[in-house]
Amino acid sequence: MTVITRFAPSPTGYLHVGGARTALYSWLHARQSNGQFVLRIEDTDRERSSQESVDAILDGMTWLGLDYDKGPYYQTQRFDRYAELIQLLLEQGKAYRCYCTREEVESLRAEQMARKEKPRYDGRCRHRTEQTEGLESVVRFRNPDDGVVVFDDLVRGTISVQNQELDDLIIARSDGTPTYNFTVVVDDMDMGITHVIRGDDHINNTPRQMNILRALGAELPQYAHVPMILGSDGARLSKRHGAVSVLQYREDGYLPDALLNYLVRLGWSHGDQEVFSTQEMIALFDLKDINRAASTFNTEKLLWLNHHYLMNDDPVSVAGHLKWHFDQRGINIEVGPALVDLVRIQRERCKTLVEMTEMSLFLYQDFDAYDEKAVKKHFKAKCLPVLQYLLEQFNTVSLWNADNLHQIVIDTAQAMDKKIGEIAQPIRVAVAGKAVSPPIDITLELLGKDRTLQRIERAIRTVEERNVEIS
Ligand code: GLU
């Protein structure tokens, strides 16, 4: 049997990290079984669904590298199929038209509550004999009256629900449109889904869906309900805990590998291993090892993983992601060092690609202003002779490389009887506008001779002006 899993988001918002984790688990289960992974967009709620959300879901999946073998299928394109099966169930007596008005259903509910009973539709239209012509109706699934629905959830273990607990679910509204539980069932059947892996907020739907699947004569899939993700305060993870949209993590400078690694561990473990390459995840992931308890989102750990991947991923691949950030800011990367070189030089001191971009902007464009603290500390009057001397020395360099520049810094320190820092820091502020940059020789090599000289000249003017003002 070929394993077929699916991710079935409703496009009513961004791709949430919880959804992405469900998608990842479904994807891993399909990949490790040489099976198929289906993407299905559950867009029947037309009011709440939007193209923007569909795009965000597709972009998020692409960015994470969660490729699908089939789809995206759209439920709104399958209405004929749902209508056909609703008709079939009606003909077979497995569904029936319900003519109850809203008021009737509400008063039934109120009566049941008054009797301290669980509110449920009592099936009165199953046997309705009075004239119904011209009345509005919905279609209800005729749930079995007796017996019990049992399934072995791959995460939660055996779950059983008495059929008496389940009432006759509406499967088509009065305008004929199918309802959520019905479309899911038809799609899972038609798409041959063997494993339904989804959030445990759907666990109450499962027995109802199983009954409908049986009525349709379908084979039942296996179910794995994944516990939810909580924020650090124990409440369900939401925007108020910070970023929860996958694409926001891209904006914030995370690598997809880091987020995937973070998500796979959030709710699943393999011993105490923390770092998993995609290949390792595929080999080691097992639905049975998913935690039963909810997991707590920890941004610090994600940041740690991101740094790990910045340090260890192939710089060419990291550079590809870094380019996205430069492009977003409209920066022409042609005028500065190759991004692969930048990654190699900067990654040690950056936890995110946003930091890396910001720390490197000075290599691609002039900065507007110096960092005030750095100026106060390193642009004192005594650095003027240092900058002037270096300007002359750098001017004479014909082979502009880190080795030669390094030698000049050392020689200057010696000639002026100063510490290396007293030489390197003023130049650093002069060329980068701030007191932090990669090693100064490498920084200058990447910046190039012309721009280095221009920026030292600008620094000399600034130091002169400042010190005139001060004196
Ligand atoms: N469309 C549902 C949701 O986004 C998922 C349905 C399912 O996985 O069965 O919550």
Side-chain angles (χ1 to χ4, degrees), residues 226-278:
V226 181
M228 60 180 156
I229 303 177
L230 306 177
S232 49
D233 57 358
R236 198 192 178 107
L237 188 69
S238 72
K239 256 191 185 162
R240 121 190 111 75
H241 297 104
V244 285
S245 138
V246 163
L247 291 178
Q248 185 64 47
Y249 282 98
R250 172 168 65 175
E251 300 249 338
D252 292 349
Y254 289 85
L255 289 168
D257 284 358
L259 188 57
L260 282 180
N261 193 148
Y262 181 71
L263 290 177
V264 81
R265 278 287 290 109
L266 188 66
W268 171 81
S269 54
H270 179 75
D272 48 18
Q273 187 171 340
E274 289 294 354
V275 177
F276 295 85
S277 68
T278 308

CSV table of all heavy atoms in Angstrom, one decimal, residues 226-278:
chain,number,residue,atom,x,y,z
A,226,VAL,N,-2.0,15.7,16.4
A,226,VAL,CA,-0.8,16.3,16.9
A,226,VAL,C,-1.3,17.4,18.0
A,226,VAL,O,-2.1,18.2,17.6
A,226,VAL,CB,0.0,16.9,15.8
A,226,VAL,CG1,1.2,17.6,16.3
A,226,VAL,CG2,0.2,15.9,14.7
A,227,PRO,N,-0.7,17.3,19.2
A,227,PRO,CA,-1.0,18.3,20.2
A,227,PRO,C,-0.7,19.7,19.8
A,227,PRO,O,0.2,19.9,18.9
A,227,PRO,CB,-0.2,17.9,21.4
A,227,PRO,CG,0.3,16.6,21.1
A,227,PRO,CD,0.3,16.4,19.7
A,228,MET,N,-1.3,20.7,20.4
A,228,MET,CA,-1.1,22.0,20.0
A,228,MET,C,0.2,22.6,20.5
A,228,MET,O,1.0,22.0,21.3
A,228,MET,CB,-2.2,22.9,20.4
A,228,MET,CG,-2.5,22.9,21.9
A,228,MET,SD,-3.9,24.0,22.1
A,228,MET,CE,-4.5,23.5,23.6
A,229,ILE,N,0.5,23.8,20.0
A,229,ILE,CA,1.7,24.5,20.4
A,229,ILE,C,1.3,25.7,21.3
A,229,ILE,O,0.4,26.4,21.0
A,229,ILE,CB,2.5,25.1,19.2
A,229,ILE,CG1,2.8,24.0,18.2
A,229,ILE,CG2,3.7,25.8,19.6
A,229,ILE,CD1,3.5,24.4,16.9
A,230,LEU,N,2.0,25.8,22.4
A,230,LEU,CA,1.7,26.9,23.4
A,230,LEU,C,2.8,27.9,23.4
A,230,LEU,O,3.9,27.7,23.0
A,230,LEU,CB,1.6,26.3,24.8
A,230,LEU,CG,0.7,25.1,25.0
A,230,LEU,CD1,0.8,24.6,26.5
A,230,LEU,CD2,-0.8,25.5,24.7
A,231,GLY,N,2.4,29.1,23.8
A,231,GLY,CA,3.4,30.2,24.0
A,231,GLY,C,4.1,30.0,25.3
A,231,GLY,O,3.7,29.1,26.1
A,232,SER,N,5.1,30.9,25.6
A,232,SER,CA,5.8,30.7,26.9
A,232,SER,C,5.0,30.8,28.1
A,232,SER,O,5.3,30.3,29.2
A,232,SER,CB,7.0,31.7,26.9
A,232,SER,OG,6.5,33.0,26.6
A,233,ASP,N,3.8,31.5,28.0
A,233,ASP,CA,3.0,31.7,29.2
A,233,ASP,C,1.9,30.5,29.3
A,233,ASP,O,1.0,30.6,30.1
A,233,ASP,CB,2.2,33.0,29.1
A,233,ASP,CG,1.4,33.1,27.8
A,233,ASP,OD1,1.5,32.2,27.0
A,233,ASP,OD2,0.7,34.2,27.6
A,234,GLY,N,2.0,29.5,28.5
A,234,GLY,CA,1.1,28.4,28.6
A,234,GLY,C,-0.2,28.5,27.8
A,234,GLY,O,-1.0,27.6,27.8
A,235,ALA,N,-0.4,29.7,27.2
A,235,ALA,CA,-1.6,29.9,26.4
A,235,ALA,C,-1.4,29.4,25.0
A,235,ALA,O,-0.2,29.4,24.6
A,235,ALA,CB,-2.0,31.4,26.5
A,236,ARG,N,-2.4,29.1,24.3
A,236,ARG,CA,-2.3,28.7,22.9
A,236,ARG,C,-1.5,29.7,22.1
A,236,ARG,O,-1.7,30.9,22.2
A,236,ARG,CB,-3.6,28.5,22.3
A,236,ARG,CG,-3.6,27.7,21.1
A,236,ARG,CD,-4.9,27.8,20.3
A,236,ARG,NE,-4.7,26.9,19.1
A,236,ARG,CZ,-5.2,25.8,18.9
A,236,ARG,NH1,-6.1,25.3,19.8
A,236,ARG,NH2,-5.0,25.1,17.9
A,237,LEU,N,-0.5,29.2,21.3
A,237,LEU,CA,0.4,30.1,20.6
A,237,LEU,C,-0.4,31.1,19.7
A,237,LEU,O,-1.2,30.7,18.9
A,237,LEU,CB,1.4,29.3,19.8
A,237,LEU,CG,2.5,30.1,19.2
A,237,LEU,CD1,3.5,30.7,20.2
A,237,LEU,CD2,3.3,29.3,18.1
A,238,SER,N,-0.1,32.4,19.9
A,238,SER,CA,-0.8,33.3,19.0
A,238,SER,C,0.1,34.5,18.8
A,238,SER,O,1.2,34.6,19.3
A,238,SER,CB,-2.1,33.8,19.8
A,238,SER,OG,-1.7,34.7,20.8
A,239,LYS,N,-0.4,35.4,18.0
A,239,LYS,CA,0.4,36.6,17.6
A,239,LYS,C,1.0,37.4,18.8
A,239,LYS,O,2.0,37.9,18.7
A,239,LYS,CB,-0.5,37.6,16.8
A,239,LYS,CG,-0.3,37.5,15.3
A,239,LYS,CD,-1.0,38.7,14.7
A,239,LYS,CE,-0.9,38.6,13.2
A,239,LYS,NZ,-1.9,39.4,12.6
A,240,ARG,N,0.3,37.3,19.9
A,240,ARG,CA,0.7,38.1,21.0
A,240,ARG,C,2.0,37.5,21.6
A,240,ARG,O,2.7,38.2,22.4
A,240,ARG,CB,-0.4,38.2,22.0
A,240,ARG,CG,-0.4,37.8,23.3
A,240,ARG,CD,-1.8,37.8,23.9
A,240,ARG,NE,-2.3,36.5,24.1
A,240,ARG,CZ,-1.9,35.7,25.1
A,240,ARG,NH1,-1.1,36.1,26.0
A,240,ARG,NH2,-2.4,34.5,25.2
A,241,HIS,N,2.4,36.3,21.2
A,241,HIS,CA,3.7,35.7,21.6
A,241,HIS,C,4.8,36.1,20.7
A,241,HIS,O,5.9,35.6,20.8
A,241,HIS,CB,3.6,34.2,21.7
A,241,HIS,CG,2.6,33.7,22.7
A,241,HIS,ND1,1.4,33.2,22.4
A,241,HIS,CD2,2.6,33.7,24.1
A,241,HIS,CE1,0.7,32.9,23.5
A,241,HIS,NE2,1.5,33.2,24.5
A,242,GLY,N,4.5,36.9,19.7
A,242,GLY,CA,5.6,37.2,18.7
A,242,GLY,C,5.2,36.6,17.3
A,242,GLY,O,4.0,36.4,17.1
A,243,ALA,N,6.2,36.4,16.5
A,243,ALA,CA,5.9,35.9,15.2
A,243,ALA,C,5.3,34.5,15.2
A,243,ALA,O,5.8,33.6,15.9
A,243,ALA,CB,7.2,35.9,14.3
A,244,VAL,N,4.2,34.3,14.5
A,244,VAL,CA,3.7,32.9,14.3
A,244,VAL,C,3.5,32.5,12.9
A,244,VAL,O,3.2,31.4,12.6
A,244,VAL,CB,2.3,32.7,15.1
A,244,VAL,CG1,2.6,32.6,16.6
A,244,VAL,CG2,1.4,33.9,14.8
A,245,SER,N,3.7,33.5,12.0
A,245,SER,CA,3.6,33.2,10.6
A,245,SER,C,4.9,32.8,10.0
A,245,SER,O,6.0,33.4,10.3
A,245,SER,CB,3.1,34.5,9.9
A,245,SER,OG,3.7,34.6,8.6
A,246,VAL,N,4.9,31.7,9.3
A,246,VAL,CA,6.1,31.2,8.7
A,246,VAL,C,6.9,32.2,7.9
A,246,VAL,O,8.1,32.4,8.0
A,246,VAL,CB,5.8,29.9,7.8
A,246,VAL,CG1,6.9,29.6,6.9
A,246,VAL,CG2,5.4,28.7,8.7
A,247,LEU,N,6.1,33.0,7.1
A,247,LEU,CA,6.8,34.0,6.3
A,247,LEU,C,7.4,35.1,7.1
A,247,LEU,O,8.3,35.8,6.7
A,247,LEU,CB,5.9,34.5,5.2
A,247,LEU,CG,5.5,33.5,4.1
A,247,LEU,CD1,4.5,34.0,3.1
A,247,LEU,CD2,6.8,32.9,3.4
A,248,GLN,N,6.8,35.3,8.3
A,248,GLN,CA,7.4,36.3,9.2
A,248,GLN,C,8.8,35.9,9.6
A,248,GLN,O,9.7,36.7,9.8
A,248,GLN,CB,6.5,36.6,10.4
A,248,GLN,CG,7.0,37.7,11.3
A,248,GLN,CD,7.0,39.0,10.7
A,248,GLN,OE1,6.0,39.4,10.0
A,248,GLN,NE2,8.1,39.8,10.8
A,249,TYR,N,9.0,34.6,9.8
A,249,TYR,CA,10.3,34.1,10.1
A,249,TYR,C,11.3,34.3,9.0
A,249,TYR,O,12.5,34.5,9.2
A,249,TYR,CB,10.2,32.6,10.6
A,249,TYR,CG,9.7,32.5,12.0
A,249,TYR,CD1,8.4,32.2,12.2
A,249,TYR,CD2,10.5,32.8,13.0
A,249,TYR,CE1,7.9,32.2,13.5
A,249,TYR,CE2,10.1,32.8,14.3
A,249,TYR,CZ,8.7,32.5,14.6
A,249,TYR,OH,8.3,32.5,15.8
A,250,ARG,N,10.8,34.2,7.8
A,250,ARG,CA,11.7,34.5,6.7
A,250,ARG,C,12.1,36.0,6.8
A,250,ARG,O,13.3,36.3,6.7
A,250,ARG,CB,11.0,34.3,5.3
A,250,ARG,CG,11.9,34.8,4.2
A,250,ARG,CD,11.4,34.3,2.8
A,250,ARG,NE,10.1,34.8,2.5
A,250,ARG,CZ,9.5,34.6,1.3
A,250,ARG,NH1,10.1,33.9,0.4
A,250,ARG,NH2,8.3,35.1,1.1
A,251,GLU,N,11.1,36.9,7.0
A,251,GLU,CA,11.4,38.3,7.1
A,251,GLU,C,12.4,38.6,8.2
A,251,GLU,O,13.2,39.5,8.1
A,251,GLU,CB,10.1,39.1,7.4
A,251,GLU,CG,9.0,38.9,6.4
A,251,GLU,CD,8.7,40.2,5.7
A,251,GLU,OE1,9.1,41.3,6.3
A,251,GLU,OE2,8.2,40.2,4.6
A,252,ASP,N,12.2,37.8,9.3
A,252,ASP,CA,13.1,38.1,10.5
A,252,ASP,C,14.5,37.5,10.4
A,252,ASP,O,15.3,37.6,11.3
A,252,ASP,CB,12.4,37.5,11.8
A,252,ASP,CG,11.1,38.3,12.1
A,252,ASP,OD1,10.9,39.4,11.5
A,252,ASP,OD2,10.4,37.9,13.0
A,253,GLY,N,14.7,36.8,9.2
A,253,GLY,CA,16.1,36.4,9.0
A,253,GLY,C,16.4,35.0,9.4
A,253,GLY,O,17.6,34.7,9.6
A,254,TYR,N,15.4,34.1,9.4
A,254,TYR,CA,15.7,32.7,9.8
A,254,TYR,C,15.9,31.9,8.5
A,254,TYR,O,15.3,32.3,7.4
A,254,TYR,CB,14.5,32.1,10.6
A,254,TYR,CG,14.5,32.7,12.0
A,254,TYR,CD1,13.8,33.9,12.2
A,254,TYR,CD2,15.1,32.1,13.0
A,254,TYR,CE1,13.8,34.5,13.5
A,254,TYR,CE2,15.1,32.6,14.3
A,254,TYR,CZ,14.5,33.8,14.5
A,254,TYR,OH,14.5,34.4,15.8
A,255,LEU,N,16.7,30.9,8.6
A,255,LEU,CA,16.8,30.0,7.5
A,255,LEU,C,15.7,28.9,7.5
A,255,LEU,O,15.4,28.4,8.6
A,255,LEU,CB,18.2,29.3,7.6
A,255,LEU,CG,19.4,30.1,7.3
A,255,LEU,CD1,20.7,29.4,7.7
A,255,LEU,CD2,19.5,30.5,5.8
A,256,PRO,N,15.2,28.5,6.4
A,256,PRO,CA,14.2,27.4,6.4
A,256,PRO,C,14.6,26.2,7.1
A,256,PRO,O,13.9,25.5,7.9
A,256,PRO,CB,13.8,27.2,5.0
A,256,PRO,CG,14.9,27.9,4.2
A,256,PRO,CD,15.5,28.9,5.0
A,257,ASP,N,15.9,25.8,6.9
A,257,ASP,CA,16.4,24.6,7.6
A,257,ASP,C,16.3,24.7,9.1
A,257,ASP,O,16.0,23.7,9.8
A,257,ASP,CB,17.9,24.4,7.3
A,257,ASP,CG,18.1,23.9,5.9
A,257,ASP,OD1,17.1,23.6,5.2
A,257,ASP,OD2,19.3,23.7,5.5
A,258,ALA,N,16.6,25.9,9.6
A,258,ALA,CA,16.6,26.1,11.1
A,258,ALA,C,15.1,26.0,11.6
A,258,ALA,O,14.9,25.3,12.6
A,258,ALA,CB,17.1,27.4,11.4
A,259,LEU,N,14.2,26.6,10.8
A,259,LEU,CA,12.8,26.5,11.3
A,259,LEU,C,12.3,25.1,11.2
A,259,LEU,O,11.6,24.6,12.1
A,259,LEU,CB,11.9,27.5,10.4
A,259,LEU,CG,10.5,27.7,10.9
A,259,LEU,CD1,10.4,28.1,12.4
A,259,LEU,CD2,9.7,28.6,10.0
A,260,LEU,N,12.6,24.4,10.1
A,260,LEU,CA,12.2,23.0,10.0
A,260,LEU,C,12.7,22.1,11.1
A,260,LEU,O,12.0,21.4,11.7
A,260,LEU,CB,12.7,22.4,8.7
A,260,LEU,CG,12.0,22.7,7.4
A,260,LEU,CD1,12.6,22.0,6.2
A,260,LEU,CD2,10.5,22.3,7.5
A,261,ASN,N,14.0,22.3,11.4
A,261,ASN,CA,14.6,21.6,12.5
A,261,ASN,C,13.9,21.9,13.8
A,261,ASN,O,13.6,21.0,14.6
A,261,ASN,CB,16.1,21.9,12.6
A,261,ASN,CG,16.9,21.0,13.5
A,261,ASN,OD1,18.1,20.7,13.2
A,261,ASN,ND2,16.3,20.5,14.5
A,262,TYR,N,13.7,23.2,14.0
A,262,TYR,CA,13.0,23.6,15.2
A,262,TYR,C,11.6,23.0,15.3
A,262,TYR,O,11.2,22.4,16.3
A,262,TYR,CB,12.9,25.1,15.3
A,262,TYR,CG,12.2,25.5,16.6
A,262,TYR,CD1,12.9,25.4,17.8
A,262,TYR,CD2,10.9,25.9,16.6
A,262,TYR,CE1,12.3,25.6,19.0
A,262,TYR,CE2,10.3,26.2,17.8
A,262,TYR,CZ,10.9,26.1,19.0
A,262,TYR,OH,10.3,26.3,20.2
A,263,LEU,N,10.9,23.0,14.2
A,263,LEU,CA,9.5,22.5,14.2
A,263,LEU,C,9.5,21.0,14.4
A,263,LEU,O,8.6,20.5,15.1
A,263,LEU,CB,8.8,22.9,12.9
A,263,LEU,CG,8.5,24.4,12.8
A,263,LEU,CD1,7.8,24.7,11.5
A,263,LEU,CD2,7.5,24.8,13.9
A,264,VAL,N,10.4,20.3,13.8
A,264,VAL,CA,10.4,18.8,14.0
A,264,VAL,C,10.6,18.4,15.4
A,264,VAL,O,9.9,17.5,15.9
A,264,VAL,CB,11.4,18.1,13.0
A,264,VAL,CG1,12.8,18.1,13.6
A,264,VAL,CG2,10.9,16.7,12.8
A,265,ARG,N,11.4,19.2,16.1
A,265,ARG,CA,11.7,18.8,17.5
A,265,ARG,C,10.6,19.3,18.4
A,265,ARG,O,10.5,18.9,19.6
A,265,ARG,CB,13.0,19.5,18.0
A,265,ARG,CG,14.2,18.7,17.6
A,265,ARG,CD,14.4,17.5,18.5
A,265,ARG,NE,14.8,17.8,19.8
A,265,ARG,CZ,14.0,17.7,20.9
A,265,ARG,NH1,12.8,17.2,20.7
A,265,ARG,NH2,14.4,18.0,22.1
A,266,LEU,N,9.8,20.2,18.0
A,266,LEU,CA,8.7,20.8,18.8
A,266,LEU,C,7.6,19.8,18.8
A,266,LEU,O,6.7,19.8,17.9
A,266,LEU,CB,8.3,22.1,18.2
A,266,LEU,CG,7.3,23.0,19.0
A,266,LEU,CD1,7.9,23.5,20.3
A,266,LEU,CD2,6.9,24.2,18.1
A,267,GLY,N,7.6,18.8,19.7
A,267,GLY,CA,6.6,17.8,19.7
A,267,GLY,C,7.0,16.5,19.2
A,267,GLY,O,6.2,15.5,19.2
A,268,TRP,N,8.3,16.3,18.9
A,268,TRP,CA,8.8,15.0,18.5
A,268,TRP,C,10.2,14.9,19.0
A,268,TRP,O,10.9,15.9,19.0
A,268,TRP,CB,8.7,14.8,17.0
A,268,TRP,CG,9.4,13.6,16.5
A,268,TRP,CD1,8.9,12.3,16.5
A,268,TRP,CD2,10.8,13.5,16.0
A,268,TRP,NE1,9.9,11.4,16.0
A,268,TRP,CE2,11.0,12.1,15.6
A,268,TRP,CE3,11.8,14.4,15.7
A,268,TRP,CZ2,12.2,11.7,15.1
A,268,TRP,CZ3,13.0,14.0,15.2
A,268,TRP,CH2,13.2,12.6,14.9
A,269,SER,N,10.7,13.7,19.4
A,269,SER,CA,12.1,13.6,19.8
A,269,SER,C,12.7,12.3,19.3
A,269,SER,O,11.9,11.3,19.1
A,269,SER,CB,12.2,13.8,21.3
A,269,SER,OG,11.4,12.9,21.9
A,270,HIS,N,14.0,12.3,19.2
A,270,HIS,CA,14.7,11.1,18.9
A,270,HIS,C,15.9,11.1,19.9
A,270,HIS,O,16.9,11.8,19.6
A,270,HIS,CB,15.2,11.1,17.5
A,270,HIS,CG,15.9,9.9,17.1
A,270,HIS,ND1,15.3,8.7,16.9
A,270,HIS,CD2,17.3,9.7,17.0
A,270,HIS,CE1,16.3,7.8,16.6
A,270,HIS,NE2,17.4,8.4,16.7
A,271,GLY,N,15.8,10.4,21.0
A,271,GLY,CA,16.8,10.6,22.1
A,271,GLY,C,16.9,12.0,22.5
A,271,GLY,O,15.9,12.7,22.5
A,272,ASP,N,18.2,12.5,22.7
A,272,ASP,CA,18.3,13.9,23.0
A,272,ASP,C,18.9,14.7,21.8
A,272,ASP,O,19.5,15.7,22.0
A,272,ASP,CB,19.0,14.1,24.3
A,272,ASP,CG,20.2,13.3,24.4
A,272,ASP,OD1,20.7,12.8,23.4
A,272,ASP,OD2,20.8,13.1,25.6
A,273,GLN,N,18.9,14.1,20.7
A,273,GLN,CA,19.4,14.8,19.5
A,273,GLN,C,18.6,16.1,19.2
A,273,GLN,O,17.4,16.1,19.2
A,273,GLN,CB,19.3,13.8,18.3
A,273,GLN,CG,20.0,14.4,17.1
A,273,GLN,CD,20.1,13.3,16.0
A,273,GLN,OE1,20.0,12.1,16.2
A,273,GLN,NE2,20.4,13.8,14.7
A,274,GLU,N,19.4,17.1,18.9
A,274,GLU,CA,18.7,18.4,18.7
A,274,GLU,C,18.8,18.8,17.2
A,274,GLU,O,17.9,19.5,16.7
A,274,GLU,CB,19.4,19.6,19.5
A,274,GLU,CG,19.0,19.5,21.0
A,274,GLU,CD,17.6,19.7,21.3
A,274,GLU,OE1,16.8,20.0,20.4
A,274,GLU,OE2,17.2,19.5,22.5
A,275,VAL,N,19.9,18.5,16.6
A,275,VAL,CA,20.1,19.0,15.2
A,275,VAL,C,19.9,17.8,14.2
A,275,VAL,O,20.5,16.7,14.4
A,275,VAL,CB,21.6,19.5,15.0
A,275,VAL,CG1,21.8,20.0,13.6
A,275,VAL,CG2,21.8,20.7,16.0
A,276,PHE,N,19.0,18.1,13.3
A,276,PHE,CA,18.7,17.0,12.3
A,276,PHE,C,18.7,17.7,10.9
A,276,PHE,O,18.0,18.7,10.6
A,276,PHE,CB,17.2,16.6,12.5
A,276,PHE,CG,17.0,15.8,13.8
A,276,PHE,CD1,16.7,16.6,14.9
A,276,PHE,CD2,17.0,14.5,13.8
A,276,PHE,CE1,16.4,15.9,16.1
A,276,PHE,CE2,16.8,13.8,15.0
A,276,PHE,CZ,16.5,14.5,16.2
A,277,SER,N,19.5,17.1,10.0
A,277,SER,CA,19.4,17.5,8.6
A,277,SER,C,18.1,16.9,8.1
A,277,SER,O,17.5,16.1,8.7
A,277,SER,CB,20.6,16.9,7.8
A,277,SER,OG,20.4,15.5,7.7
A,278,THR,N,17.7,17.5,6.9
A,278,THR,CA,16.4,17.0,6.4
A,278,THR,C,16.5,15.5,6.1
A,278,THR,O,15.5,14.8,6.4
A,278,THR,CB,16.1,17.7,5.1
A,278,THR,OG1,16.2,19.1,5.3
A,278,THR,CG2,14.7,17.4,4.5
